[in-house]
């Protein structure tokens, strides 16, 4: 039973905290987390986490190095997303989650169908001035530099193949983080952005495995094409060093001398189009099957999907550290199949930017999560809530406590 007594005590204790005035509530939350770890969402009474994997250790070291350095105020983090059809609100909620916790300024590269472009402009410009000061954005039309545009646009989901062309279109951008519209950040983007500095000399992209258990993974059982490693990779969260991608010749099964990224895309699609199921993600798996030295693998906590909990908890990194990036594929934000995911999405979507985070964001998540504990993913609340609680406390300390001390 994943939900042990320690986790229930945490919810009861924290719910009591929320009944206090904001200043007293914060002290209550901080006290709850320091009482011998008795009420910690990830206390030893819930489970004993396994030792981290090698890649996770590398991740921790990279983040630690990042934490010891002062961020350059002028440095921008670049985030790209592709939105078509009915994805406006979902994309805005993703952008909102990124801004809630980020430390450095973000530039959003939003690729959108023509009818969505003015709606993005209108919505983003309505956000509070204090929020708008922390980001830039540019909206791009959907475009494909090689092959049949209509064919690319219909590959898997509408417009999803656009991500394959980011190195070609964003020629002035050195590196970026690409995410699907159904992604939510539960900790600062800064913490995954720093992984770019952990790349070795051959690595030019980073993704998480598609599955943690090869025996029940989709690629290992059903794929009719080459894929990366034992389980394939999921492209919903993808770090990209665009400069390296543009300067690399990629090995492939068609031309011995290698092909540039742009020259590779169309012939690769033509060869495998009758054998791929997940569109552009399958093409990325094929590319990195032949070029494994080019890929950095980060742990599943950075791309946590329903597959990590609906068949039993199988993301060890999230069990230890909590979910860092939530990926609500399978449409789980918009139905009742996995309410644990929907609770977090709804809370972030409805949160007023300048409200108290504990009262107006964490408390709704926490209280509504109690209604999900009998579901497949809701039975492990510590996995979903540990990281966002830690992040909110850190944001409060940096943005509020620090300002109070400075005012004195």
């Amino acid at each position: 039973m994943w939900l042990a007594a320690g986790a229930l005590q945490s919810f009861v204790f924290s719910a009591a905290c929320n009944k206090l005035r904001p200043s007293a509530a914060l002290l209550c939350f901080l006290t709850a987390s320091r009482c011998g770890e008795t009420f910690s969402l990830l206390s030893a009474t819930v489970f004993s986490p396994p030792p981290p994997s090698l890649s996770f250790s590398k991740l921790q070291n990279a983040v630690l190095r990042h934490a010891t350095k002062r961020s350059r105020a002028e440095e921008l983090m670049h985030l790209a997303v592709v939105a078509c059809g009915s994805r406006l609100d979902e994309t805005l909620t993703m952008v909102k989650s990124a801004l809630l916790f980020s430390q450095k300024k973000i530039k959003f590269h939003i690729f959108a169908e023509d009818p969505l472009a003015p709606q993005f402009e209108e919505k983003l410009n309505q956000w509070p001035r204090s929020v708008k000061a922390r980001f830039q954005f540019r909206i791009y039309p959907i475009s494909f530099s090689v092959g049949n545009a209509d064919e690319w646009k219909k590959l898997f989901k509408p417009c999803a193949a656009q991500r394959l062309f980011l190195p070609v279109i964003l020629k002035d951008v050195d590196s970026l983080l690409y995410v699907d519209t159904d992604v939510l950040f539960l900790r600062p983007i800064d913490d995954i952005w720093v992984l770019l500095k952990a790349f070795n000399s051959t690595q030019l992209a980073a993704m998480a495995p598609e599955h943690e258990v090869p025996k029940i993974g989709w690629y290992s059982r059903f794929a009719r094409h080459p894929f990366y490693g034992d389980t394939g990779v999921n492209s919903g969260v993808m770090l990209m060093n665009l400069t390296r991608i543009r300067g690399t010749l990629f090995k492939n099964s068609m031309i011995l001398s290698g092909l540039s990224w742009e020259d590779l895309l169309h012939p690769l699609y033509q060869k495998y189009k009758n054998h791929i199921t997940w569109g552009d993600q399958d093409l990325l798996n094929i590319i990195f099957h032949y070029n494994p030295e080019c890929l950095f693998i980060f742990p599943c906590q950075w791309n946590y999907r329903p597959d990590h909990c609906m068949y039993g908890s199988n993301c060890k990194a999230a069990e230890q550290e909590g979910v860092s990036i939530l990926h609500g594929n399978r449409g789980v934000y918009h139905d009742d199949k996995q309410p644990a995911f929907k609770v977090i999405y709804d809370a972030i979507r409805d949160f007023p930017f300048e409200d108290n985070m504990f009262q107006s964001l964490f408390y709704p998540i926490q209280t509504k999560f109690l209604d999900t504990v009998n579901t497949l993913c809701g039975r492990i609340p510590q996995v979903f809530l540990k990281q966002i609680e830690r992040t909110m406390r850190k944001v409060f300390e940096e943005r509020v406590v620090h300002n109070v001390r400075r005012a004195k």
Side-chain angles (χ1 to χ4, degrees):
M1 181 68 179
W2 283 98
L3 184 61
L8 285 174
Q9 286 175 318
S10 172
F11 284 113
V12 173
F13 194 96
S14 297
C17 291
N18 278 291
K19 295 179 180 179
L20 302 174
R21 288 178 291 108
S23 58
L26 175 70
L27 180 60
C28 183
F29 274 111
L30 297 179
T31 303
S33 68
R34 291 173 182 169
C35 293
E37 300 301 319
T38 302
F39 297 107
S40 169
L41 285 173
L42 199 64
S43 82
T45 60
V46 180
F47 61 82
S48 297
S53 64
L54 179 61
S55 60
F56 186 50
S57 297
K58 192 171 185 179
L59 168 71
Q60 288 177 311
N61 291 337
V63 173
L64 183 61
R65 290 197 302 272
H66 172 63
T68 60
K69 297 179 180 179
R70 291 190 62 181
S71 301
R72 293 183 299 165
E74 70 275 8
E75 184 179 355
L76 278 175
M77 299 180 292
H78 293 264
L79 189 150
V81 64
V82 180
C84 287
S86 60
R87 301 284 183 162
L88 175 69
D89 288 342
E90 194 173 80
T91 305
L92 289 170
T93 304
M94 179 279 294
V95 171
K96 186 178 186 180
S97 74
L99 291 170
L100 285 177
F101 308 125
S102 65
Q103 297 162 3
K104 293 196 293 290
K105 200 169 186 177
I106 305 172
K107 181 167 184 178
F108 295 99
H109 303 268
I110 301 172
F111 291 79
E113 288 181 309
D114 291 342
L116 291 181
Q119 297 180 64
F120 275 115
E121 289 269 4
E122 179 185 1
K123 295 289 186 181
L124 292 172
N125 284 321
Q126 287 175 353
W127 285 356
R129 183 179 301 176
S130 61
V131 176
K132 290 193 291 184
R134 296 172 44 228
F135 74 96
Q136 303 171 9
F137 72 92
R138 180 177 174 185
I139 299 173
Y140 305 78
I142 301 297
S143 63
F144 306 96
S145 59
V146 294
N148 185 305
D150 289 335
E151 199 170 18
W152 281 119
K153 190 173 182 178
K154 296 174 183 177
L155 182 63
F156 184 44
K157 291 182 179 179
C159 307
Q162 181 71 71
R163 88 184 82 184
L164 297 174
F165 294 87
L166 296 179
V168 180
I169 298 170
L170 302 178
K171 294 184 183 296
D172 296 329
V173 178
D174 175 69
S175 298
L176 62 76
L177 174 65
Y178 167 87
V179 296
D180 286 347
T181 60
D182 53 8
V183 156
L184 294 172
F185 294 90
L186 306 187
R187 69 188 290 179
I189 291 185
D190 311 62
D191 293 346
I192 189 170
W193 184 258
V194 75
L195 293 184
L196 288 162
K197 297 178 182 178
F199 284 13
N200 66 24
S201 60
T202 64
Q203 290 166 338
L204 44 75
M207 288 181 274
E210 170 65 23
H211 210 284
E212 300 301 300
V213 184
K215 289 189 296 184
I216 59 175
W218 192 92
Y219 282 106
S220 53
R221 291 187 295 162
F222 304 119
R224 297 181 295 147
H225 57 79
F227 57 90
Y228 178 88
D230 295 328
T231 61
V233 286
N234 184 282
S235 60
V237 179
M238 183 178 180
L239 273 173
M240 306 171 75
N241 185 317
L242 301 183
T243 300
R244 288 188 180 183
I245 290 174
R246 288 187 286 263
T248 298
L249 291 178
F250 292 88
K251 300 186 291 292
N252 59 85
S253 60
M254 299 169 289
I255 297 178
L256 290 176
S257 59
L259 289 168
S260 69
W261 185 268
E262 185 175 16
D263 291 338
L264 175 62
L265 294 178
H266 190 246
L268 192 72
Y269 170 67
Q270 290 299 317
K271 178 173 181 176
Y272 290 104
K273 66 180 179 180
N274 295 323
H275 302 279
I276 58 178
T277 302
W278 308 114
D280 52 312
Q281 177 173 293
D282 289 346
L283 295 180
L284 289 168
N285 267 280
I286 296 167
I287 291 172
F288 290 110
H289 169 83
Y290 290 105
N291 301 271
E293 73 283 358
C294 294
L295 192 62
F296 179 97
I297 297 295
F298 49 67
C300 48
Q301 72 184 82
W302 297 99
N303 186 352
Y304 191 88
R305 288 161 278 123
D307 301 73
H308 291 121
C309 53
M310 61 190 292
Y311 307 116
S313 182
N314 58 56
C315 177
K316 302 303 181 184
E319 290 173 9
Q320 182 179 17
E321 291 291 319
V323 174
S324 295
I325 295 179
L326 196 69
H327 184 180
N329 64 347
R330 300 177 178 265
V332 294
Y333 295 150
H334 311 294
D335 60 34
D336 296 320
K337 293 180 180 178
Q338 296 298 338
F341 284 77
K342 190 174 187 298
V343 162
I344 296 177
Y345 175 82
D346 288 348
I348 293 176
R349 181 197 60 200
D350 298 339
F351 172 69
F353 262 115
E354 296 178 319
D355 271 20
N356 180 288
M357 279 192 180
F358 278 105
Q359 283 190 321
S360 301
L361 183 55
F362 186 69
Y363 180 50
I365 291 174
Q366 187 186 58
T367 52
K368 292 178 182 178
F369 215 98
L370 285 171
D371 297 330
T372 76
V373 295
N374 292 320
T375 66
L376 291 169
C377 293
R379 62 185 176 177
I380 46 175
Q382 69 284 352
V383 170
F384 284 82
L385 302 183
K386 177 182 174 64
Q387 188 60 241
I388 192 170
E389 182 185 18
R390 178 191 297 170
T391 298
M392 287 186 189
R393 186 183 300 116
K394 184 177 180 182
V395 168
F396 182 90
E397 291 173 349
E398 290 182 349
R399 295 183 184 174
V400 179
V401 176
H402 175 73
N403 289 338
V404 170
R405 288 175 180 167
R406 188 168 56 183
K408 291 179 180 179

